[in-house]
Amino acid sequence: MTGPAQAAAFSQNVSQTNNTTNEAVTEARESIEGLRRRLEELRGQYPEVDAALRDLDMITPRLDEPERDPGTLRYMLQNLVERCGGIPNLLTAAQLVQSTVLALLPGS
């Protein structure tokens, strides 16, 4: 093998890793937006809705650097799931957000 061929193979591996990461971030963002839409429809009906929306507002910007403070992000996600557990038919959507965001964290 020549040097350039090895570099090309390495570049492909890096590209595949970036695509996987981008897909995971996209999936996390989509799950957050789905939950956000459902919460906004329920605004004013349950006291937990506004707090859950604030949780989403704090989680969303951290998707760009999930490794920066993973402990805090895990805590926020747990709070979100607990809040949504008190709102009928939202627990599964909150758990989806939790699982898609946790997949971005190191060691997950």
Side-chain angles (χ1 to χ4, degrees), residues 65-85:
E65 293 183 280
E67 68 284 349
R68 188 169 178 199
D69 190 3
T72 300
L73 192 50
R74 283 185 180 92
Y75 179 76
M76 290 177 184
L77 290 164
Q78 186 59 42
N79 282 341
L80 176 69
V81 169
E82 289 174 11
R83 289 185 210 284
C84 289

